[in-house]
């Protein structure tokens, strides 16, 4: 049976085995997907051992996404743009292809699951770390009217504008600090890690246009402080569970050539949170 896994440290919390087992069952694909705890100083060795044991592909999570980017012998365009890899494909010729499905997962969740088109919309992206960098290109591909990247360290957001500016229309992409995000947006995405420590990126309440979609990449049994803040100011809150399920579907398609349906898997995961 073809073997796949997710590498991380820690990894016990990962929902990926459950998601991929559900996709395999649904699509009739024969595969085994497991968790692999890689030592913090032994990611590459763990990947090579998994390949030697017959591994066909892997997902990569915290803290190895940058190392996976370095390890890959080939990168997809979106992995190059993201500067990070969350999906590996192991070729029979020994090649290791690195892809990044996080951005496509986020956009699929917004456009298909939440039913919010991005074309012509004003989008505010909070954060400029690995997760934010991975979503800039997939969002720009949907031709928003504006994509503003706000970050605590403004220089990091400005570097993203520098990197992606040529791919956006004139004036579409810009950077600022949280407090400077003064206008109203149709979609506000929290890609900071502030929610992990129950912090709120200090954006003005006016960033949420009435009925705006507020999406936090984090997920949990309770809404994050960001989602509570957003809901209290007229936005429709959405957590990152749909993004997780959609990035997994994208990886599954890459490995197996078949696209799984995500709705029931998302519903089942939600019920267990
Ligand atoms: N749902 C999913 O499938 C999925 C996938 C990927 C990531 N994520 C989530 O996305 C989040 C970000 O991950 P990442 O890999 O991008 O992390 P990262 O590379 O460490 O970047 C962290 C970002 O958060 C900002 N930040 C950190 N603490 C903050 C605070 N207290 N207030 C305001 N801003 C703060 C940082 O700003 P500075 O630049 O100023 O340091 C930076 O922009 C995590 O919560 C992660 O779990 C979810």
């Amino acid at each position: 049976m073809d073997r796949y896994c997710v590498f991380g440290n820690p990894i016990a919390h990962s929902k990926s085995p459950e998601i991929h087992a559900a996709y395999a069952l649904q699509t009739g694909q024969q595969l085994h997907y497991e968790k692999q705890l890689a030592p913090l100083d032994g990611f590459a060795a763990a990947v090579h051992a998994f390949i030697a044991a017959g591994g066909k592909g892997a997902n990569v999570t915290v803290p190895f996404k940058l190392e996976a980017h370095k390890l890959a012998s080939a990168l997809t365009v979106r992995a190059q743009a993201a500067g990070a890899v969350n999906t590996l494909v192991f070729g029979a010729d020994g090649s290791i292809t690195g892809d990044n499905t996080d951005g496509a997962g986020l956009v699929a969740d917004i456009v298909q699951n939440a039913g919010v088109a991005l074309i012509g919309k004003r989008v505010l992206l909070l954060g400029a770390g690995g997760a934010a960098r991975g979503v800039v290109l997939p969002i720009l591909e949907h031709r928003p009217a504006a994509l503003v990247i706000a970050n605590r360290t403004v220089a990091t957001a400005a570097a993203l504008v520098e990197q992606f500016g040529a791919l956006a229309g004139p004036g579409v992409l810009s950077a600022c600090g949280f407090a400077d995000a003064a206008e109203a947006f149709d979609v506000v995405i929290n890609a900071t890690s502030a929610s992990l420590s129950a912090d709120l990126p200090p954006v003005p309440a006016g960033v949420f246009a009435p009925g705006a979609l507020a999406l936090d990449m984090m997920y949990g049994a309770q809404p994050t402080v960001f989602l509570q803040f957003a809901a209290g100011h007229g936005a429709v809150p959405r957590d990152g569970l749909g993004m997780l399920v959609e990035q997994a579907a994208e990886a599954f398609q890459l490995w197996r050539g078949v696209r799984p349906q995500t709705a029931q898997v998302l519903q089942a995961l939600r019920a267990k949170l």
Side-chain angles (χ1 to χ4, degrees):
M1 199 182 275
D2 288 345
R3 285 180 69 190
Y4 298 85
C5 74
V6 55
F7 289 104
N9 188 331
I11 198 62
H13 66 285
S14 176
K15 298 186 189 310
S16 291
E18 191 179 338
I19 296 172
H20 283 282
Y23 289 165
L25 191 66
Q26 180 203 112
T27 58
Q29 295 281 310
Q30 298 291 314
L31 62 87
H32 178 73
Y33 188 109
E34 64 204 79
K35 294 173 193 172
Q36 288 269 345
L37 178 72
L40 290 175
D41 60 352
F43 172 68
V47 171
H48 287 297
F50 188 66
I51 294 171
K56 294 279 190 282
N59 285 129
V60 180
T61 187
V62 176
F64 299 124
K65 290 185 185 182
L66 298 183
E67 266 190 83
H69 182 267
K70 281 193 210 136
L71 182 70
S73 54
L75 292 167
T76 62
V77 171
R78 59 192 184 180
Q80 280 174 40
V85 158
N86 79 332
T87 304
L88 295 169
V89 184
F90 308 133
D93 57 354
S95 64
I96 300 177
T97 302
D99 193 8
N100 192 313
T101 65
D102 281 337
L106 173 85
V107 168
D109 187 53
I110 292 174
V111 175
Q112 289 158 30
N113 299 345
V116 175
L118 291 173
I119 186 163
K121 298 284 175 61
R122 294 182 48 76
V123 181
L124 175 63
L125 179 62
L126 307 175
R133 192 163 54 181
V135 303
V136 173
L137 188 59
I139 291 173
L140 287 177
E141 284 170 353
H142 280 251
R143 304 169 68 91
L147 174 58
V148 177
I149 307 173
N151 196 37
R152 186 173 59 181
T153 311
V154 182
T156 319
L160 291 187
V161 172
E162 179 82 7
Q163 180 185 346
F164 293 102
L167 301 170
V172 170
L173 191 59
S174 61
C176 66
F178 292 132
D180 305 321
E183 299 155 58
F185 293 83
D186 306 300
V187 177
V188 182
I189 300 162
N190 185 10
T192 73
S193 49
S195 299
L196 292 172
S197 45
D199 281 340
L200 181 67
V203 284
V207 295
F208 304 105
L213 176 70
L215 190 147
D216 196 325
M217 287 193 184
M218 207 178 122
Y219 54 82
Q222 302 301 325
T224 63
V225 278
F226 170 75
L227 291 184
Q228 291 174 39
F229 176 72
H233 292 92
V236 178
R238 187 169 186 87
D239 73 8
L241 197 62
M243 174 184 177
L244 179 78
V245 167
E246 293 297 338
Q247 65 75 28
E250 194 83 16
F252 191 93
Q253 182 174 20
L254 198 68
W255 293 327
R256 310 301 299 184
V258 50
R259 181 90 187 177
Q261 300 290 315
T262 54
Q264 283 185 357
V265 177
L266 177 55
Q267 205 178 11
L269 278 184
R270 171 83 57 213
K272 285 190 203 165
L273 274 183

